[in-house]
Amino acid sequence: MPDQTSLPRLKLMSAPSSSEKSSIWSVINIVIGLAIGGVVLLWVLAFVVKGLGSLIPAPKADPAAVAATAPASAAAPAPAAGIPALEITIKPDSANPLAYDTKSISAKAGQKVKLTFNNTHPTLPQPHNFVLGKLGVDKGKMMGIAMGAMTLVDKGYIPESADILANTKLLQPGQTETIEFTLPAAGEYNYICTFPGHGAIMNGTITVQ
């Protein structure tokens, strides 16, 4: 018959002590802490070097998709090599002297244009000019340019503007001037007479393809 006093002692010997439990949890906590710290360090390094997206493999770009989604302005058309210069002569309209006789012109991207403005009219001679806006400058903005030039008498009613591609001087009745310019890309280029009050009717468009 075993001594009854020895039973509790056996239980105490089989159960881990509180110090042993704390040491085990300390080891587990250290392992967990190192794991979490490693993950955090990885994310921080990825963010600093290339951003969070660097942890996700980038899909291979489809060349066809890239070409389809690229902005139209990203690739400028090649110059119109071998295409002769476009020669144009315009003057006030015979039926309406406060309008150009040519209100629509077609050209090619990169084409050089040689434009002659002959300010002659048999019945209503008036001073006029020819002011061509850059690509994307619509008729409303061209009218704004004309309105802003109403007081520029000494400059032929032509302001200094980054929106202007080419222009003649203010031509008095019977005067002629030839200017040359190149149309760099496809689209619409609007032109106008900026003499006060003329631009509402005296305007036109060069369409470039």
Side-chain angles (χ1 to χ4, degrees), residues 9-135:
R9 186 175 300 172
L10 290 174
K11 289 182 181 180
L12 289 173
M13 291 176 63
S14 62
S17 65
S18 59
S19 60
E20 290 175 342
K21 288 182 180 179
S22 61
S23 63
I24 292 173
W25 280 111
S26 297
V27 172
I28 293 174
N29 288 334
I30 291 172
V31 172
I32 293 174
L34 290 174
I36 294 174
V39 172
V40 172
L41 180 61
L42 177 63
W43 279 89
V44 169
L45 290 175
F47 180 78
V48 170
V49 177
K50 292 184 179 179
L52 295 177
S54 63
L55 296 178
I56 303 174
K60 292 184 178 180
D62 184 359
V66 172
T69 57
S73 60
I83 297 178
L86 177 64
E87 296 190 14
I88 305 167
T89 298
I90 66 174
K91 57 183 183 297
D93 191 281
S94 57
N96 184 354
L98 295 181
Y100 295 117
D101 68 337
T102 304
K103 304 171 184 63
S104 180
I105 301 169
S106 297
K108 295 184 181 297
Q111 187 171 24
K112 185 177 181 179
V113 178
K114 184 178 181 180
L115 183 141
T116 300
F117 184 26
N118 185 2
N119 186 21
T120 59
H121 194 274
T123 60
L124 187 61
Q126 289 278 310
H128 298 296
N129 60 25
F130 175 92
V131 179
L132 176 66
K134 290 184 178 179
L135 178 65

Side-chain angles (χ1 to χ4, degrees), residues 45 100 172 186 193 205 209:
L45 290 175
Y100 295 117
Q172 298 300 324
C193 175
T205 302
Q209 297 178 343

Side-chain angles (χ1 to χ4, degrees), residues 166-178:
N167 63 272
T168 68
K169 64 183 180 182
L170 183 69
L171 301 176
Q172 298 300 324
Q175 290 185 327
T176 298
E177 184 179 356
T178 298

